[in-house]
Amino acid sequence: DTSGTGHTLVENLVLNSVTTTALAATSGSFDVTSAIAQLAFGTSPASSITAGGNAGSAVTVREEGSDNSLVTTAADSITLSVTGPNSYTKSYSATAVNGVATFDLSGDALTTAGGYSYTASLTGVTSATSSATVSADSASAISVISGSGQSAVIGAAFTNPLSVKVVDTYNNPVAGATVTFIAPGSGTGATFSTAAVTASNGTTSATATANGTASATAYAVTASVVGATTPASFALTNTKASTSVTATPTATSIVYGQPVTINAAVTPNAVAGSVPSGSVTFYDGATALTPGGTLAGAAASYTVNVPAVGSRTYGAQYAGDTNFSQSSLASAASPVVVGKASSTLTPATTSK
């Protein structure tokens, strides 16, 4: 019969197929207890836990009959097993009182993010199961994954992104954290793509572009996140931009005695706000002409009086500055051809 209290049995004596109520007998009151068929969580472990927290101080497991009723007379020793990430295992035992076993799990902090399984078991009956998810705590530290030690020409993007990882106190990756990349406020430095947010594995990155100031040594770029006391630091170097120069004479055919101006233009004429400065040396063949020309707007000029009749090849070379490299000597595409000057012969006058 079903479990419960106050049950009675009634027996009737049957003679010659006739029920004889006079011989009926009724038992005294008694209780019917179900056999234990299954375990069930009464109070389940916490299903959502932040790393460092626990599953609860009063997790309960019920001993039940097949009709889901509590077997109040049960007093078995129940085992509660916990498994989790990184081969985590833990086992607890508690003796049921009036069919309920209570487990205090508050003494064991769960520090590794991931899924956990709880199994309450008793030999010969159906086990009870439950699950929990442990999430990372707030950001506590940030570190460099890759991207430090690079060089880039001024105005150009660094080849590899600057990558970092954000973790909590227990080294769990933190998702959804905003990472801010900061370069020096003046002088050599870099600019970055928009603010980076960490993915589920705690990583994020930013693309860095060198500004217009070159550096002989590396400078520091930091990556910071709220909660981390020490930022991650990258060492980057901005290198000088390569240059070339074009020499162009204002005339390619003159007569002896006429001056000619050689114009020089430096390429590139600007990078990330920086403009080539310094001087250009002009050449007559392989001979440097003095004094050199001073750049203004990435251009300079030199006026020369051609010393002799014939063909002259003029060139120019940019000396470079702190942000731009020295160029190679470049000759004009066309030589300057110097012809003889015309002359007039005036006969001498004699007096009589």
Side-chain angles (χ1 to χ4, degrees):
D1 205 348
T2 58
S3 61
T5 60
H7 289 264
T8 59
L9 289 177
V10 178
E11 293 290 338
N12 293 315
L13 179 60
V14 179
L15 296 175
N16 298 323
S17 301
V18 178
T19 301
T20 307
T21 57
L23 298 178
T26 302
S27 71
S29 177
F30 62 92
D31 298 335
V32 175
T33 302
S34 296
I36 301 167
Q38 63 190 25
L39 300 180
F41 281 101
T43 301
S44 298
S47 60
S48 182
I49 304 168
T50 299
N54 60 76
S57 60
V59 174
T60 60
V61 176
R62 293 161 48 95
E63 295 191 74
E64 296 180 345
S66 58
D67 59 354
N68 300 329
S69 62
L70 178 67
V71 180
T72 57
T73 58
D76 296 295
S77 178
I78 308 298
T79 299
L80 179 61
S81 301
V82 186
T83 59
N86 298 336
S87 301
Y88 177 89
T89 58
K90 187 74 175 181
S91 183
Y92 306 85
S93 63
T95 300
V97 177
N98 297 327
V100 178
T102 301
F103 297 86
D104 182 1
L105 309 183
S106 62
D108 293 308
L110 301 178
T111 58
T112 302
Y116 289 75
S117 296
Y118 296 81
T119 303
S121 59
L122 175 63
T123 302
V125 302
T126 302
S127 299
T129 60
S130 185
S131 62
T133 299
V134 174
S135 302
D137 199 358
S138 57
S140 176
I142 183 171
S143 59
V144 172
I145 297 176
S146 61
S148 187
Q150 297 184 85
S151 297
V153 175
I154 59 170
F158 287 86
T159 302
N160 299 312
L162 310 186
S163 299
V164 296
K165 184 175 184 179
V166 177
V167 297
D168 66 7
T169 303
Y170 308 101
N171 206 38
N172 295 305
V174 177
T178 298
V179 175
T180 303
F181 291 84
I182 301 175
S186 60
T188 186
T191 57
F192 309 97
S193 53
T194 56
V197 178
T198 55
S200 59
N201 62 358
T203 65
T204 189
S205 62
T207 299
T209 300
N211 68 6
T213 304
S215 54
T217 58
Y219 59 93
V221 165
T222 59
S224 60
V225 64
V226 174
T229 56
T230 303
S233 184
F234 297 83
L236 301 179
T237 303
N238 297 356
T239 59
K240 295 182 179 183
S242 298
T243 63
S244 61
V245 65
T246 301
T248 307
T250 53
T252 57
S253 179
I254 61 173
V255 296
Y256 179 75
Q258 284 184 312
V260 64
T261 298
I262 312 301
N263 293 318
V266 176
T267 302
N269 59 11
V271 174
S274 292
V275 177
S277 62
S279 63
V280 171
T281 300
F282 292 88
Y283 286 82
D284 180 354
T287 303
L289 302 175
T290 58
T294 300
L295 280 180
S301 61
Y302 186 91
T303 299
V304 60
N305 289 309
V306 182
V309 172
S311 178
R312 318 291 293 191
T313 299
Y314 291 97
Q317 182 177 30
Y318 171 51
D321 63 11
T322 56
N323 298 318
F324 295 88
S325 297
Q326 182 184 44
S327 74
S328 299
L329 171 61
S331 298
S334 300
V336 175
V337 178
V338 182
K340 294 181 179 180
S342 60
S343 60
T344 301
L345 179 61
T346 302
T349 303
T350 59
S351 56
K352 292 181 180 179

